[in-house]
């Protein structure tokens, strides 16, 4: 998606492929597709590598952790090349890709992120860019690794397990993690402590009996846990070995990180954009580049359970975080009452909810799923979709408030399918955007879409769904 791609479509608009394998109606989805059809453009410059975190695997700073949620710095650079010089916002900041990439161009940048794992890594990059020298980081790193060979740790620094993490480590790894936490707690320099904590968070999966697999953790039988799928991680490195690899990478990256990210750092806000956006001044942003969680049942509190527990999240904090996340799992409860309170019970919120409730394409999908509720693997996917679109409507409405006239929003997202029924997320959200003050200029579709799950494929056949980047302009 080069500058020329921003100006010139690269292919004919996509034709509608909407159908209901359940024999349900499709008229509302067809009508919505017809409205946006000429703006749905296949962009052959887009690749999965560009719109996912794969493109950051070799980028200094961003390569330190396997943080799979987000997109590449290259995508941000391309989108910024066709944007104005004003302030940049990412309401789902993740590891800080947008905010850090934008700030290096001299733009004021703000990132809002509810997952502390992402913000910790972003803060580590800024700490090294603007604080730690290569020698200071090397000295702090050596101290941390050396501490693992000495004495016994204070029990108060033991890994604070929750139910989902129990059995994740060998006794040796448990002891080493406690020693590392104890050393970092005694580290006086804040920049050093942030960098060392980031290294530990990035390394703990390596020394565990777990591996991230989609929305779950897979478990090696040595954990003592019963697992439905067998995982053999082979020889596990010691924490010292794992840390040495991560810290060597970080030390190696210091010059490049300073070159790219030194200067006024972006503002990184810890919290949910559902409540944090309302505190930002109206009309202050020229560009938004973001990727919200997809409506795909992923529970990031499970995916990043080890890292969250390491950072001190107990059972209550896990539960609160899971509910506070944008509703993309079957366990979320409705946030409508909370949102009414957060926004002072204004009529605006009620009108927003009515807009969601009256969306014909969304209702078409929900009604079919309700009719087939007994056949669903989990009938709570119905409320998942209801809550997801409700909360995204709030986010889009707030973006319409904080983006200046003529400002742009670029959003990476996937459509989803449940029980064979496609929910055209791109079209529904673009419909919301146009009702709330934006003009949908283009929906760039990747040349290759995303297949449905193996369970759905077995029953309904393989059907690709669109992976897209939306481009909205503020009226």
């Amino acid at each position: 998606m080069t500058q020329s791609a921003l100006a010139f479509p690269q292919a004919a608009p996509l034709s509608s492929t909407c159908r209901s394998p359940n024999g349900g109606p499709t008229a509302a989805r067809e009508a919505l597709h017809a409205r946006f059809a000429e703006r749905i453009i296949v962009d052959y410059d887009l690749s999965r590598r560009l719109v996912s975190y794969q493109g950051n695997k070799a980028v200094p700073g961003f390569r330190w952790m396997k943080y799979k949620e987000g997109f590449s710095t290259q995508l941000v650079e391309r989108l910024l090349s066709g944007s104005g010089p004003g302030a940049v916002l990412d309401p789902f900041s993740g590891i800080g890709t947008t905010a850090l990439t934008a700030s290096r161009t001299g733009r004021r940048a703000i990132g809002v992120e509810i997952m502390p794992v992402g913000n910790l890594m972003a803060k580590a990059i800024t700490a090294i860019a603007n604080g730690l020298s290569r020698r200071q980081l090397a000295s702090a790193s050596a101290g941390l690794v050396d501490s693992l060979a000495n004495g016994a740790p204070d029990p108060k620094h033991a890994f604070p397990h929750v139910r989902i993490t129990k059995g994740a480590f060998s006794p040796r790894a448990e002891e080493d993690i406690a020693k590392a936490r104890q050393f970092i707690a005694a580290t006086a320099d804040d920049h050093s402590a942030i960098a060392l904590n980031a290294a530990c968070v990035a390394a703990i999966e390596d020394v565990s009996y777990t591996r991230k697999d989609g929305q779950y953790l897979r478990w090696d039988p040595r954990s003592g846990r019963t697992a439905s799928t067998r995982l053999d991680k082979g020889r596990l490195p010691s924490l010292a070995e794992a840390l040495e690899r991560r810290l060597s990478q970080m030390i190696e990256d210091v010059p490049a990180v300073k070159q790219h990210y030194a200067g006024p750092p972006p503002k990184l806000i810890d919290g949910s954009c559902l409540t944090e956006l309302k505190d930002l001044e109206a009309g202050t942003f020229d560009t938004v580049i973001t990727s919200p969680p997809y409506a795909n049942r992923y529970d990031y509190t499970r995916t990043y359970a080890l890292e969250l527990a390491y950072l001190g999240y107990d059972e209550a904090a896990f539960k609160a975080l899971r509910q506070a996340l944008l509703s993309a799992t079957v366990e979320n409860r409705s946030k409508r009452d909370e949102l009414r309170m957060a926004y002072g019970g204004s009529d605006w919120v009620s009108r927003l909810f009515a807009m969601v409730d009256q969306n014909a394409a969304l209702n078409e999908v929900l009604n079919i799923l309700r009719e087939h509720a007994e056949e669903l693997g989990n009938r709570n996917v119905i409320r998942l979709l209801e809550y997801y679109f409700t909360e995204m409507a709030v986010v889009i409405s707030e973006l319409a408030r904080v983006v200046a006239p003529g400002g742009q929003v670029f959003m990476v997202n996937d459509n989803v399918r449940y029980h064979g029924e496609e929910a055209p997320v791109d079209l529904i959200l673009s419909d919301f955007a146009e009702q709330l003050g934006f003009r949908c200029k283009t929906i760039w579709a990747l040349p290759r879409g995303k297949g449905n799950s193996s369970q759905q494929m077995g029953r309904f056949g393989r059907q690709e769904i669109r992976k897209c980047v939306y481009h909205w302009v503020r009226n």
Side-chain angles (χ1 to χ4, degrees):
M1 199 152 48
T2 59
Q3 270 189 287
S4 62
L6 291 170
F8 302 105
Q10 296 197 22
L14 286 176
S15 60
S16 174
T17 57
C18 183
R19 67 181 185 86
S20 171
N22 298 290
T26 62
R29 283 173 284 178
E30 291 282 0
L32 195 57
H33 186 278
R35 178 176 144 201
F36 288 100
E38 292 186 354
R39 290 174 277 178
I40 305 173
I41 306 297
V42 176
D43 189 326
Y44 291 97
D45 279 353
L46 284 176
S47 65
R48 293 197 182 198
R49 180 177 180 83
L50 196 65
V51 302
S52 73
Y53 199 69
Q54 293 177 26
N56 279 352
K57 285 184 176 179
V59 177
F62 295 100
R63 66 177 182 149
W64 299 341
M65 182 176 179
K66 298 173 185 174
Y67 194 82
K68 298 180 180 180
E69 288 64 47
F71 39 66
S72 66
T73 57
Q74 186 182 6
L75 178 67
V76 178
E77 290 165 356
R78 292 188 181 195
L79 295 175
L80 287 176
S81 71
S83 303
V88 177
L89 170 68
D90 186 346
F92 300 98
S93 187
I95 203 169
T97 306
T98 293
L100 286 161
T101 306
S103 66
R104 84 190 218 189
T105 68
R107 292 170 168 89
R108 183 172 71 89
I110 292 180
V112 182
E113 177 53 44
I114 192 172
M115 285 289 288
V117 179
N119 261 347
L120 173 63
M121 301 310 294
K123 290 172 182 177
I125 293 173
T126 59
I128 289 174
N130 296 292
L132 287 175
S133 68
R134 195 171 189 176
R135 183 164 63 178
Q136 287 173 315
L137 180 58
S139 176
S141 299
L144 173 61
V145 173
D146 288 346
S147 73
L148 304 184
N150 300 317
D154 186 326
K156 72 179 182 181
H157 294 290
F159 187 93
H161 280 288
V162 291
R163 286 190 298 271
I164 195 173
T165 68
K166 287 181 178 178
F169 307 108
S170 68
R172 167 69 185 279
E174 292 273 5
E175 181 175 305
D176 285 348
I177 292 170
K179 289 180 181 178
R181 286 165 56 85
Q182 182 171 325
F183 179 87
I184 295 169
T187 300
D189 179 69
D190 288 343
H191 285 158
S192 295
I194 288 172
L196 296 181
N197 253 332
C200 285
V201 165
I204 57 173
E205 183 183 343
D206 295 341
V207 302
S208 77
Y209 292 128
T210 74
R211 179 176 295 147
K212 293 179 178 64
D213 183 12
Q215 61 177 311
Y216 301 106
L217 290 179
R218 293 181 64 194
W219 289 83
D220 187 301
R222 286 174 290 178
S223 66
R225 297 175 70 113
T226 302
S228 58
T229 55
R230 186 174 180 82
L231 169 66
D232 181 1
K233 288 190 72 173
R235 177 191 174 273
L236 298 180
S238 67
L239 183 61
E241 292 171 324
L243 280 175
E244 283 176 339
R245 284 200 293 268
R246 301 289 180 181
L247 290 166
S248 294
Q249 205 174 51
M250 294 170 75
I251 293 165
E252 179 185 339
D253 285 352
V254 168
V257 168
K258 287 186 178 297
Q259 178 185 353
H260 291 309
Y261 306 111
K267 183 178 181 180
L268 301 170
I269 299 173
D270 297 296
S272 167
C273 64
L274 288 169
T275 52
E276 296 294 337
L277 288 179
K278 65 182 174 56
D279 296 326
L280 300 180
E281 187 178 349
T284 55
F285 294 95
D286 183 74
T287 306
V288 174
I289 301 175
T290 194
S291 180
Y294 303 161
N296 57 8
R297 296 185 60 180
Y298 276 32
D299 181 352
Y300 300 116
T301 65
R302 287 187 168 87
T303 307
Y304 292 96
L306 294 184
E307 293 83 0
L308 289 170
Y310 174 91
L311 293 173
Y313 275 61
D314 61 14
E315 298 286 359
F318 263 81
K319 185 177 180 179
L321 178 60
R322 185 175 298 122
Q323 171 61 15
L325 288 166
L326 189 80
S327 292
T329 80
V330 294
E331 295 181 1
N332 288 101
R333 303 185 309 277
S334 173
K335 295 187 182 67
R336 288 197 174 191
D337 288 343
E338 298 168 26
L339 290 168
R340 286 190 183 96
M341 291 180 62
Y343 288 90
S346 83
D347 291 340
W348 159 82
V349 178
S350 296
R351 291 194 299 271
L352 203 60
F353 294 164
M355 179 189 72
V356 177
D357 294 340
Q358 294 165 12
N359 185 276
L362 176 58
N363 278 317
E364 191 172 73
V365 176
L366 294 175
N367 288 335
I368 294 172
L369 294 180
R370 291 183 185 114
E371 290 174 3
H372 294 269
E374 297 297 327
E375 303 166 44
L376 301 179
N378 189 319
R379 65 172 58 197
N380 288 337
V381 298
I382 300 170
R383 71 183 194 187
L384 179 161
L385 291 173
E386 293 176 313
Y387 302 165
Y388 181 84
F389 284 106
T390 295
E391 293 163 32
M392 282 302 299
V394 172
V395 173
I396 294 168
S397 180
E398 280 299 283
L399 292 183
R401 184 183 64 81
V402 302
V403 172
Q408 304 182 87
V409 172
F410 300 97
M411 182 179 291
V412 180
N413 207 338
D414 280 4
N415 289 355
V416 294
R417 177 178 282 112
Y418 288 106
H419 199 64
E421 295 295 330
E422 180 174 358
V425 179
D426 52 357
L427 305 183
I428 295 172
L429 294 185
S430 293
D431 179 33
F432 291 170
E434 292 203 330
Q435 293 186 60
L436 294 169
F438 290 102
R439 173 173 58 88
C440 177
K441 187 173 181 180
T442 313
I443 298 173
W444 288 297
L446 271 68
R448 183 179 176 187
K450 181 180 179 181
N452 44 329
S453 69
S454 57
Q455 294 92 335
Q456 291 198 60
M457 198 180 308
R459 182 165 184 178
F460 303 109
R462 178 176 174 80
Q463 303 171 57
E464 282 197 355
I465 51 178
R466 288 190 299 276
K467 296 176 66 70
C468 300
V469 180
Y470 322 151
H471 181 197
W472 304 332
V473 180
R474 184 70 170 91
N475 295 328

